[in-house]
Amino acid sequence: MINEVRNAVLSITNKNNYGYISPSDFNLYAKNAQMEIYEEYYSSYNKTINAENLRTSGTEYASIEQPVAEVLESFMVTNYLTPSANNIYNIPSLITTGDESYMLLKVLCYTNQLRTGTNTAILLNSLVDSTALFTTYGIAAGDIVVNLTTGVVSSVSAIVSNTTITLTSSAFLAIGNSYAIISAATVAEAEKVHASKITLLNNSLLTAPNTIYPAYVMQGQTIVVYPSTINKKGQVQANYFRYPKVPKWTYSTLSDGSPVFNQSQPDYQDFELPTEDEYKLVTKILEYCGISIRETEVTQFGMAQQQHEQPTFSMQQ
Amino acid sequence: MAYISQYQYYENNGTNPTDANWGSYQYVSLQDIVNNFLLMYSGNHSLVNNEERYKVLFHAKRAIQELNYDAFKEIKVLELTVPESLIFILPSDYVNWVRISLYKDGWLRPLSENIQTLSSNAYLQDNTGMILFDQNGNILQPQYSNIDFDRLNRTKKSIYLNQGSQFDGQYGWYIDDVWYFQYGIGGAYGLNTETANFNPTFNINKKAGVINFDSSMSGESCILEYISDGMEGGDNSLITVNKLFEQYIYAAIKYEILNSKFGVQEYIVQRARKDRRALLMNAKIRISNIHPGRLLMNLRGMDKQIK
């Protein structure tokens, strides 16, 4: 989609010889435009809920909530969080999970630790512990297996014997790695609590966080999970909306002084928004371009087109 | 919570305690209640929205506590032997007592609460009546007050007609086929029915957390029937509610949240209040087990002539 958007932008700006947009400028504008539209989806979602409560939205094909929700859900991911110290976990980032969290939707805590030990042999996609009695610990397929030495998380595929478990992916590449097996069946959703309330909550007799009703607070780039007995990799899993990947229009050669689109470049990244947002992207980028080349007509054109494109429900709010 | 198999119900899948699931179908767990409430009564399209889960949990527990105080009729029973110190330490989950009995010779004998005190604190005093203090300014206290000392030494008299009675063990004179006593037993003043009980008596010292008995209870077996608040020592996984009260709990949580929430119209609050009240009444009637079989048992005696 990114090439179509760029061609449309260049076409409009070049039509009246307003100017040329370089690939680096375009990529900059494309990133901002995508982010702006992405954030609009959240406010749009809120408006659709209000519209539903006002009975101005229907269901099935008349639903205005569903398309918005589906776009947002395309950015939803689930990953295990990495503890930075004790019960403090890093929120998803490029370093820890490979993507950045825009908003944490829910934090799940797995509190029932079935077994800890050290692996004694290496077998492909397996956990081998000659001292274990895996058939007696209540382990079931799907339970979480964490290599506490490397932080790699896998899950139980099958229990082969008392000493061997097959895993869904390889997690043990060396002997002597400590591991933990955590029940996937005992899961509790941690509640987000404001930092101003957590002390009171911890001191509350009836509602203090526990393994059935855990809680967490945001603290910088980390979350602090309560009770503090939740402190291992594999025990905390986050379900979150990630930021869209930064779009990049890539090119390989210059033909007649112009770059030629090449999507096979390793750093190529298309827009992640749905196709119906192409028009919005073009107008948003035009708005930026107009400001850049100091052509108010281009900016006004972009803004006018965006107004025209606004869905009906948002105009009612 | 998933439904359990018959084997799990009767034998707990062969693991101890095997009776863990007996009768469990009568109850719904706190986890289910909170989960169901958040799922069914809370959210973007519900009256209750933008509320933290811990508030739902709090109101659910409060409702369960209130039900345990009167509506549930779930009475716990504990038997202990009363030691020489004549105290019965209240159970860790004690909230209020229902009945205290002496179990002796195969009979359960309900005890009366002594209308007089059985125990007291005391301060040390000098011969002029001044209270004595230690170097830190704290009042010096004896190990026992006089009333406690007498009670422990079986010399305290009782207004009840039991072993501690002032008439117990008194000599009389048998003259011309008639017994004469030094003191009149009720003859002169009329029998006080409130204290006309042969059994031992007790007092509850709530702050001290003990039941004080009179000296005749020493070494005897005491059975305490009491109510708790249903919080199961803080273990959320064990907290349950009878299913007859499930809907009431939802209504109670909803009412409490709406009632304390800013900007909720009064008619909505009132609707929730009436809903809660009606459901409580319904549940109380249901748990009373008023059914034809029981009424029939009572009505069978209606034709009996009173002579």
Side-chain angles (χ1 to χ4, degrees):
Chain A
M1 184 166 74
I2 194 165
N3 198 38
E4 287 80 13
V5 171
R6 185 170 185 272
N7 288 342
V9 169
L10 288 182
S11 167
I12 294 167
T13 52
N14 282 337
K15 191 166 65 181
N16 296 319
N17 292 322
Y18 281 140
Y20 173 73
I21 309 299
S22 69
S24 60
D25 281 350
F26 173 81
N27 286 335
L28 207 59
Y29 303 149
K31 178 190 172 189
N32 289 338
Q34 180 176 249
M35 199 57 219
E36 215 174 308
I37 295 168
Y38 177 70
E39 289 188 322
E40 276 174 12
Y41 270 103
Y42 289 94
S43 58
S44 296
Y45 184 74
N46 186 41
K47 286 169 184 167
T48 64
I49 295 298
N50 290 337
E52 284 182 343
N53 284 334
L54 291 169
R55 295 179 175 272
T56 57
S57 170
T59 57
E60 299 164 1
Y61 305 126
S63 171
I64 57 171
E65 180 261 352
Q66 192 177 336
V68 180
E70 282 177 1
V71 173
L72 289 177
E73 283 159 5
S74 70
F75 291 93
M76 190 186 286
V77 283
T78 302
N79 271 312
Y80 289 103
L81 300 187
T82 310
S84 61
N86 298 325
N87 55 331
I88 303 171
Y89 288 80
N90 294 311
I91 61 171
S93 65
L94 290 171
I95 299 168
T96 57
T97 56
D99 46 33
E100 283 187 280
S101 160
Y102 178 79
M103 182 170 73
L104 285 178
L105 187 63
K106 61 181 176 182
V107 172
L108 300 174
C109 296
Y110 297 91
T111 53
N112 186 11
Q113 190 173 279
L114 301 171
R115 162 80 183 168
T116 54
T118 307
N119 76 320
T120 53
I122 302 167
L123 201 62
L124 185 65
N125 289 348
S126 296
L127 166 61
V128 182
D129 181 356
S130 59
T131 64
L133 294 167
F134 286 135
T135 55
T136 63
Y137 303 136
I139 298 169
D143 284 345
I144 304 153
V145 177
V146 191
N147 184 330
L148 296 172
T149 308
T150 62
V152 176
V153 180
S154 185
S155 60
V156 176
S157 177
I159 302 164
V160 177
S161 67
N162 263 338
T163 57
T164 307
I165 287 175
T166 55
L167 306 175
T168 52
S169 59
S170 192
F172 296 90
L173 302 172
I175 296 170
N177 288 352
S178 59
Y179 68 87
I181 301 175
I182 300 159
S183 170
T186 313
V187 60
E189 188 176 333
E191 180 179 30
K192 184 180 179 183
V193 176
H194 286 286
S196 60
K197 293 277 187 187
I198 192 65
T199 313
L200 296 171
L201 193 68
N202 275 326
N203 289 333
S204 164
L205 186 65
L206 292 181
T207 58
N210 52 60
T211 52
I212 296 174
Y213 299 110
Y216 73 91
V217 288
M218 301 285 288
Q219 196 171 282
Q221 295 304 302
T222 60
I223 62 167
V224 186
V225 183
Y226 298 92
S228 57
T229 49
I230 301 169
N231 51 26
K232 285 192 176 64
K233 178 84 189 267
Q235 282 197 297
V236 176
Q237 194 180 44
N239 183 228
Y240 56 96
F241 291 108
R242 64 170 174 81
Y243 276 98
K245 289 173 184 164
V246 177
K248 189 159 190 184
W249 186 88
T250 49
Y251 59 95
S252 51
T253 55
L254 294 174
S255 168
D256 300 333
S258 299
V260 175
F261 179 57
N262 181 2
Q263 60 179 7
S264 59
Q265 292 289 328
D267 53 347
Y268 165 76
Q269 179 60 53
D270 200 356
F271 288 112
E272 291 198 290
L273 294 171
T275 316
E276 64 263 26
D277 283 331
E278 186 176 323
Y279 182 81
K280 279 190 197 173
L281 285 166
V282 171
T283 53
K284 284 251 181 247
I285 293 169
L286 275 174
E287 194 184 324
Y288 290 125
C289 292
I291 293 166
S292 169
I293 59 180
R294 300 187 181 188
E295 282 295 345
T296 50
E297 283 180 24
V298 178
T299 307
Q300 283 166 0
F301 171 76
M303 290 172 75
Q305 290 304 307
Q306 282 178 56
Q307 285 294 323
H308 176 68
E309 186 62 12
Q310 289 292 318
T312 315
F313 65 80
S314 60
M315 291 169 72
Q316 288 179 340
Q317 303 310 310
Chain B
M1 289 294 172
Y3 288 100
I4 59 175
S5 69
Q6 294 281 26
Y7 180 55
Q8 193 176 349
Y9 177 80
Y10 286 107
E11 303 286 340
N12 197 19
N13 286 338
T15 55
N16 279 321
T18 54
D19 61 355
N21 295 318
W22 293 357
S24 61
Y25 200 68
Q26 300 167 85
Y27 300 96
V28 58
S29 70
L30 173 71
Q31 284 174 266
D32 277 340
I33 285 172
V34 173
N35 201 49
N36 291 343
F37 185 87
L38 291 171
L39 205 55
M40 302 299 170
Y41 298 95
S42 168
N44 283 333
H45 300 108
S46 304
L47 280 175
V48 176
N49 64 354
N50 300 332
E51 282 296 342
E52 292 86 354
R53 183 181 64 192
Y54 62 75
K55 286 190 181 175
V56 173
L57 180 64
F58 173 78
H59 291 305
K61 285 188 169 182
R62 284 292 302 117
I64 292 170
Q65 284 179 321
E66 290 295 328
L67 290 174
N68 269 277
Y69 299 149
D70 52 10
F72 276 167
K73 301 175 181 175
E74 297 206 355
I75 294 164
K76 297 189 168 189
V77 187
L78 177 66
E79 180 188 308
L80 285 177
T81 299
V82 178
E84 284 184 354
S85 58
L86 299 175
I87 60 169
F88 184 119
I89 300 169
L90 296 174
S92 59
D93 55 350
Y94 170 91
V95 172
N96 203 0
W97 65 282
V98 177
R99 187 162 46 198
I100 298 171
S101 307
L102 161 68
Y103 185 68
K104 192 171 186 179
D105 303 330
W107 290 94
L108 201 58
R109 291 153 54 177
L111 303 185
S112 302
E113 187 175 17
N114 200 317
I115 56 173
Q116 294 184 320
T117 189
L118 287 176
S119 181
S120 169
N121 280 331
Y123 296 156
L124 287 180
Q125 295 166 286
D126 65 13
N127 56 0
T128 62
M130 298 300 288
I131 293 171
L132 301 177
F133 299 88
D134 66 11
Q135 70 262 28
N136 298 319
N138 299 317
I139 292 175
L140 292 171
Q141 290 186 281
Q143 186 179 5
Y144 298 114
S145 61
N146 283 334
I147 191 171
D148 277 324
F149 191 78
D150 287 348
R151 183 167 59 93
L152 293 168
N153 285 295
R154 298 173 178 250
T155 55
K156 183 184 175 304
K157 296 299 181 190
S158 169
I159 59 169
Y160 289 81
L161 298 181
N162 56 18
Q163 289 176 36
S165 166
Q166 57 183 321
F167 308 116
D168 188 58
Q170 293 293 326
Y171 287 107
W173 297 267
Y174 188 67
I175 302 169
D176 296 334
D177 296 334
V178 177
W179 278 97
Y180 293 91
F181 292 93
Q182 193 172 354
Y183 308 98
I185 305 175
Y189 309 106
L191 183 69
N192 183 357
T193 52
E194 190 180 6
T195 58
N197 194 307
F198 173 75
N199 292 319
T201 58
F202 68 91
N203 256 173
I204 297 183
N205 187 340
K206 292 174 185 167
K207 280 287 178 189
V210 296
I211 305 171
N212 289 308
F213 288 99
D214 67 28
S215 55
S216 57
M217 272 298 278
S218 180
E220 301 288 357
S221 183
C222 174
I223 292 180
L224 169 66
E225 293 165 80
Y226 68 101
I227 52 167
S228 184
D229 65 352
M231 290 297 104
E232 304 295 342
D235 188 343
N236 286 330
S237 65
L238 299 178
I239 299 173
T240 56
V241 181
N242 192 296
K243 279 178 178 168
L244 301 178
F245 287 89
E246 184 178 353
Q247 197 60 36
Y248 163 75
I249 300 274
Y250 298 139
I253 300 169
K254 193 163 82 172
Y255 167 71
E256 293 295 348
I257 288 176
L258 292 174
N259 191 37
S260 59
K261 203 175 173 78
F262 179 76
V264 179
Q265 295 93 330
E266 187 57 21
Y267 72 90
I268 290 177
V269 177
Q270 289 305 318
R271 192 169 75 197
R273 189 181 64 82
K274 286 176 185 171
D275 197 23
R276 179 188 69 152
R277 189 170 180 276
L279 287 164
L280 180 62
M281 294 299 115
N282 271 351
K284 277 185 171 177
I285 291 168
R286 281 177 178 172
I287 211 160
S288 296
N289 260 348
I290 301 171
H291 53 76
R294 281 197 169 184
L295 287 174
L296 191 64
M297 289 297 287
N298 294 329
L299 291 172
R300 273 179 182 151
M302 64 184 268
D303 294 330
K304 201 158 66 179
Q305 286 191 345
I306 300 169
K307 292 177 182 175

